[in-house]
């Protein structure tokens, strides 16, 4: 086996990272670029994508649109084909959580929208990537909310539990050619998760044995590993990135 250059694991490769104008998605895109890869970003706002591209440089490009819009997906893969000719890696990072509160009170339309974006669109992006010649790996961004009860964000947790199972199903069906894995972060300091820690960060951090909340870079590193050939014999797995929360004593 040819030795892996761990500083240039993505040299000569093309990755698509959805929902990547900021936060976790942007950190993943930056890690790929830092390791020599080309990356295509997506997001809803063109100005945010422009700012991301300005920071990442010529190795990055972007297409704006909604994750659950089929026309947007078609435009993204047309761009990838024209600019790069093919695709090696896909990171399904886009997710929404528009509602908080008890699950019995959730609006049915909101519940459907969460599933549409967090689960169905992930499947649609993966299928479109395969049709466009995806050749190596997929990483889905799930959540620890999908691993157990998640008061206040329960339906978001349900969608992420479905995403974790979707990861396993895709890994089974696409092996041996394509590896499919997921990561399940706990609270990461992003605008998306701000409601979970803003104004009480010290209290929120105290729940973690590592005594702090996660940063986007804490997710980008494990994702880069799972995408890369360092993880060549890993598929169908979901890696919790939780600051040790999962090892807390039950009593």
């Amino acid at each position: 086996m040819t030795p892996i250059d761990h500083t240039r694991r993505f040299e000569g490769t093309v990755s698509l990272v959805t929902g990547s104008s900021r936060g976790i998605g942007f950190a993943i895109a930056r890690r790929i670029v830092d390791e020599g890869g080309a990356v295509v970003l997506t997001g809803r706002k063109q100005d945010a994508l422009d700012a991301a591209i300005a920071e990442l440089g010529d190795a990055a490009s972007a297409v704006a649109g909604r994750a659950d819009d089929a026309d947007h997906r078609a435009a993204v893969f047309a761009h990838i084909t024209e600019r790069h000719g093919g695709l090696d890696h896909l990171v399904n990072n886009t997710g929404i959580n528009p509602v908080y509160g008890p699950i019995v009170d959730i609006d049915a339309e909101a519940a459907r929208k969460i599933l549409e974006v967090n689960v169905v669109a992930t499947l649609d992006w993966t299928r479109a990537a395969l049709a466009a010649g995806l050749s190596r790996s997929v990483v889905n961004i799930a959540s620890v909310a999908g691993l157990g009860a998640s008061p206040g964000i329960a339906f978001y947790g349900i969608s992420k539990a479905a995403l974790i199972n979707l990861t396993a199903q895709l890994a089974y069906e696409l092996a041996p050619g394509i590896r499919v894995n997921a990561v399940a972060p706990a609270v990461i300091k992003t605008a998306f998760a701000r409601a979970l820690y803003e104004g009480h960060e010290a209290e929120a951090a105290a729940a973690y044995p590592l005594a702090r909340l996660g940063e986007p870079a804490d997710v980008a590193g494990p994702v880069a590993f799972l995408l890369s050939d360092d993880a060549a014999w890993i598929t169908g797995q979901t890696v919790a990135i939780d600051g040790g929360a999962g090892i807390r004593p039950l009593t």
Side-chain angles (χ1 to χ4, degrees):
M1 181 180 293
T2 303
I4 297 169
D5 181 348
H6 294 276
T7 65
R8 305 291 293 179
R9 290 181 297 185
F10 297 104
E11 195 161 29
T13 69
V14 179
S15 300
L16 168 61
V17 184
T18 68
S20 47
S21 63
R22 61 181 185 176
I24 291 171
F26 178 75
I28 294 167
R30 180 161 57 187
R31 182 64 178 263
I32 292 168
V33 169
D34 286 347
E35 292 198 34
V39 66
V40 177
L41 287 66
T42 76
R44 288 183 297 129
K45 297 181 179 180
Q46 186 66 54
D47 56 346
L49 288 170
D50 290 342
I53 296 303
E55 187 168 342
L56 294 174
D58 292 341
S61 59
V63 181
R66 296 193 334 271
D68 57 341
D69 179 2
D71 290 339
H72 169 56
R73 289 192 294 272
V76 169
F77 288 106
H79 168 82
I80 290 171
T81 299
E82 179 178 356
R83 183 179 175 98
H84 299 291
L87 180 67
D88 298 284
H89 306 291
L90 168 65
V91 179
N92 287 304
N93 175 64
T94 304
I96 62 169
N97 183 38
V99 294
Y100 292 86
I103 192 171
V104 294
D105 295 334
I106 191 170
D107 176 76
E109 287 304 313
R112 292 187 185 95
K113 185 65 174 179
I114 291 170
L115 290 176
E116 181 67 30
V117 174
N118 294 2
V119 184
V120 178
T122 295
L123 176 59
D124 286 341
W125 279 105
T126 304
R127 289 193 289 207
L130 291 166
L134 178 69
S135 63
R136 297 194 185 187
S137 64
V138 178
V139 174
N140 297 323
I141 309 302
S143 169
V144 293
L147 300 175
S150 303
I153 56 170
F155 205 83
Y156 174 77
I158 289 169
S159 74
K160 293 300 185 176
L163 181 58
I164 289 167
N165 190 267
L166 176 63
T167 298
Q169 302 294 343
L170 286 171
Y172 184 82
E173 291 190 8
L174 300 182
I178 307 293
R179 295 182 301 103
V180 186
N181 292 288
V183 296
V187 177
I188 306 296
K189 291 179 65 176
T190 64
F192 180 81
R194 187 175 293 144
L196 300 176
Y197 67 86
E198 192 170 49
H200 56 94
E201 183 174 335
E203 179 183 355
Y208 298 94
L210 293 184
R212 66 174 177 87
L213 300 181
E215 300 283 351
D218 293 317
V219 181
V223 170
F225 163 72
L226 289 171
L227 289 173
S228 78
D229 288 342
D230 281 333
W233 212 48
I234 301 173
T235 196
Q237 303 304 304
T238 295
V239 178
I241 304 172
D242 65 357
I247 62 171
R248 290 176 299 182
L250 297 177
T251 58

